[in-house]
Amino acid sequence: MDVRTIIDKRNLPSRHVTEGPSRAPHRSYLYAMGLTREQIHQPLVGVASCWNEAAPCNISLMRQAQAVKKGVSAAAGTPREFCTITVTDGIAMGHDGMKASLASREVIADSVELTIRGHAYDALVGLAGCDKSLPGMMMAMLRLNVPSIFIYGGSILPGSFRGQPVTVQDMFEAVGKHSVGLMSDDDLDELEQVACPSAGACGAQFTANTMATVSEAIGLALPYSAGAPAPYEIRDRFCMAAGEQIMDLVARNIRPRDIVTLKALENAATVVAASGGSTNAALHLPAMAHEVGIKFDLFDVAEIFKRTPYIADLKPGGRYVAKDMFEAGGIPLLMKTLLEHGFLHGDCLTVTGRTIAENLASVKWNPHQDVVRPANDPITVTGGVVGLQGNLAPDGAIVKVAGLKNQKFTGPARCFDGEEACFEAVTHRAYEEGDVLVIRYEGPKGGPGMREMLSTTAALYGQGAGDKVALITDGRFSGATRGFCIGHVGPEAAVGGPIGLIRDGDIITIDAIEGTLDVALSDEELAARRAEWKPRPSPVGSGAIWKFAQAVGPARDGAVTHPGGAAETACYADV
């Protein structure tokens, strides 16, 4: 198909900057950048990447963006490359920098939106590599609703430490071992030099790879493209193909909101549970749904998790990393067995222009691998992530149970107002087996920024206490977290939620089988404590994180910062 004969720019946003005598000044700027007359009058395609030198997750994105641009040009489009920010959780972890992480998701979505709007681009190919940049980029696509394709930058390769494969999870847990004398300074130094041997995002089914899996399952990424590790040269072929395919979507006017329906969101939640993915998906999927005006909150996500089998044996709860699943058959292998056993909606449209079922029609089961189990022979019949609710979490909470043997826990609360205080206690082993460590005032508004707690949870595992205590927080846990760790507890402490009312010694019961999270207090006692409760002053008084705190909503709805698609009066794609 020659798209040049099909695409009529009179119906595209870029007509506002390239067509007609009144746009001669605008065209002069485009000529100044070396564009030809033909290129100016072709569709303009934004090629947005989160490239930066902040972390290995992003370092390969600029190279991959060049391959996308070649594909766009080959299909008679005009690519316009731009970059946006990323805050990388692994480096922001365990200190005040983590307050910037969730806020960065909104900045990424906002900055991509503003760039596309301001320059009237007709389509978007978005490349992202870090935990918040993946949902941020997809949120921008859904908000703008121009034809869009998402590209994951790819995962890191596993490291090797004395003959054993390692990931950054082992690095964080090594800190705990070191704190109790189980690892020497020299061993720690050796491990940190080999744990992350290449470009790419953290290699196991942590948040980045979880949201990459979502990108294929929800239909915004080309099949197989999210699985190939960053160093693999095949990534450039996927990028070239995406650049060509975006022009087909422009010609056929296939838009993100045609693809991301309620059924597609359910498919996305299904692959998260089936792969033992990150609890953070329960934050990002509602936020993506919010962009298109679909109600799909934490409880809707949890309902899908509850009925989905856990079938991919991936770290942190299992044995393998993303590279292994790609080489076993990729995300399509996972999706094919889920589809065959009735867990996926096969009729959802994707960026190929075909449905999920059509994309998977030629996928054959690989019997020579044990990374992914058949959906009718799961590791566990319940998904790797489950939702909780109770008098300690009326607005819900979330826990990853993949690899967790005991799914019930009862113990006395040890309350900490902030992660640092808890990490200090853990470092000095100032806790007892059976305790429920409560980290509060770390929610979206109270943190602000809903920090992740990997430093604390990994230290516990390194000390050998990962299954001997539980943690609950109104903040988040990393996709690399394992153990009885409950996040997203809502309402958060900063708005007077029950987690802000409990005291040391209160008995907390967690039941991941029944899906409950309760504290042994009567309604009357909770009401009396709430009457005495006083809000704490925010730890920030200005700047970007202050702005985030003023606008952000509850974790249950995705911690979003604007009214979303339901309140939209005009869609950018239709200007």
Side-chain angles (χ1 to χ4, degrees), residues 172 179 250 453:
F172 277 97
S179 73
V250 172
M453 309 295 166

Side-chain angles (χ1 to χ4, degrees), residues 98-289:
M98 182 52 81
K99 294 181 187 295
S101 173
L102 185 57
S104 76
R105 185 191 71 180
E106 307 306 299
V107 173
I108 291 163
D110 292 350
S111 61
V112 172
E113 176 197 355
L114 293 174
T115 301
I116 297 287
R117 280 185 180 274
H119 303 95
Y121 294 157
D122 302 313
L124 171 61
V125 180
L127 301 92
C130 279
D131 294 5
K132 307 307 170 297
S133 61
L134 278 78
M137 189 66 73
M138 288 187 274
M139 286 163 65
M141 294 173 176
L142 296 169
R143 188 182 303 175
L144 292 159
N145 203 33
V146 291
S148 301
I149 295 178
F150 178 81
I151 298 174
Y152 180 40
S155 68
I156 201 169
L157 297 176
S160 179
F161 180 66
R162 299 176 184 175
Q164 295 298 313
V166 291
T167 71
V168 75
Q169 174 189 346
D170 299 282
M171 197 69 253
F172 277 97
E173 292 180 7
V175 173
K177 293 179 181 178
H178 182 268
S179 73
V180 294
L182 297 177
M183 178 172 277
S184 69
D185 290 348
D186 288 344
D187 287 352
L188 187 65
D189 179 69
E190 181 182 342
L191 178 59
E192 71 183 61
Q193 294 185 52
V194 300
C196 300
S198 74
C202 299
Q205 199 68 348
F206 309 153
T207 305
N209 279 321
T210 296
M211 295 309 296
T213 305
V214 162
S215 72
E216 283 195 33
I218 210 167
L220 290 175
L222 295 175
Y224 296 100
S225 67
Y232 284 18
E233 291 298 322
I234 196 174
R235 292 224 54 82
D236 288 3
R237 292 167 59 188
F238 286 125
C239 292
M240 178 80 179
E244 295 175 324
Q245 181 61 20
I246 195 67
M247 297 308 299
D248 183 59
L249 298 184
V250 172
R252 298 170 64 183
N253 196 29
I254 295 176
R255 302 181 181 184
R257 296 186 192 180
D258 300 323
I259 293 168
V260 179
T261 61
L262 179 59
K263 284 184 175 181
L265 288 158
E266 291 176 347
N267 284 348
T270 298
V271 299
V272 171
S275 65
S278 170
T279 56
N280 286 312
L283 193 70
H284 302 319
L285 289 176
M288 291 168 64

Side-chain angles (χ1 to χ4, degrees), residues 155-455:
S155 68
I156 201 169
L157 297 176
S160 179
F161 180 66
R162 299 176 184 175
Q164 295 298 313
V166 291
T167 71
V168 75
Q169 174 189 346
D170 299 282
M171 197 69 253
F172 277 97
E173 292 180 7
V175 173
K177 293 179 181 178
H178 182 268
S179 73
V180 294
L182 297 177
M183 178 172 277
S184 69
D185 290 348
D186 288 344
D187 287 352
L188 187 65
D189 179 69
E190 181 182 342
L191 178 59
E192 71 183 61
Q193 294 185 52
V194 300
C196 300
S198 74
C202 299
Q205 199 68 348
F206 309 153
T207 305
N209 279 321
T210 296
M211 295 309 296
T213 305
V214 162
S215 72
E216 283 195 33
I218 210 167
L220 290 175
L222 295 175
Y224 296 100
S225 67
Y232 284 18
E233 291 298 322
I234 196 174
R235 292 224 54 82
D236 288 3
R237 292 167 59 188
F238 286 125
C239 292
M240 178 80 179
E244 295 175 324
Q245 181 61 20
I246 195 67
M247 297 308 299
D248 183 59
L249 298 184
V250 172
R252 298 170 64 183
N253 196 29
I254 295 176
R255 302 181 181 184
R257 296 186 192 180
D258 300 323
I259 293 168
V260 179
T261 61
L262 179 59
K263 284 184 175 181
L265 288 158
E266 291 176 347
N267 284 348
T270 298
V271 299
V272 171
S275 65
S278 170
T279 56
N280 286 312
L283 193 70
H284 302 319
L285 289 176
M288 291 168 64
H290 180 75
E291 296 291 352
V292 299
I294 296 173
K295 181 197 170 295
F296 193 67
D297 68 10
L298 183 148
F299 292 115
D300 298 309
V301 175
E303 188 61 34
I304 304 295
F305 288 170
K306 185 188 300 184
R307 65 176 187 243
T308 303
Y310 167 43
I311 60 173
D313 194 5
L314 298 171
K315 288 179 180 289
R319 294 177 292 165
Y320 295 106
V321 295
K323 176 186 82 74
D324 301 317
M325 188 160 82
F326 177 69
E327 293 171 352
I331 295 165
L333 182 76
L334 174 75
M335 293 174 62
K336 181 64 179 274
T337 187
L338 290 168
L339 178 67
E340 288 180 338
H341 294 284
F343 294 102
L344 285 185
H345 302 290
D347 57 346
C348 293
L349 185 65
T350 75
V351 291
T352 65
R354 300 185 297 272
T355 65
I356 291 284
E358 290 169 336
N359 287 345
L360 298 176
S362 61
V363 175
K364 300 290 192 296
W365 181 253
N366 176 6
H368 307 294
Q369 57 82 38
D370 62 350
V371 181
V372 180
R373 299 269 289 270
N376 63 341
D377 182 26
I379 300 168
T380 60
V381 294
T382 301
V385 182
V386 300
L388 307 173
Q389 190 178 25
N391 72 341
L392 186 49
D395 278 354
I398 205 82
V399 60
K400 179 185 283 192
V401 296
L404 192 63
K405 294 178 182 177
N406 179 21
Q407 297 190 16
K408 296 182 179 182
F409 198 102
T410 297
R414 281 285 311 283
C415 299
F416 301 92
D417 292 347
E419 182 192 13
E420 285 84 357
C422 186
F423 184 70
E424 182 73 11
V426 169
T427 300
H428 294 96
R429 303 202 76 167
Y431 60 87
E432 302 290 336
E433 290 186 11
D435 281 350
V436 179
L437 307 183
V438 179
I439 306 174
R440 59 195 181 188
Y441 293 100
E442 290 288 7
K445 189 176 291 291
M450 206 178 183
R451 288 193 293 177
E452 290 186 354
M453 309 295 166
L454 178 58
S455 292

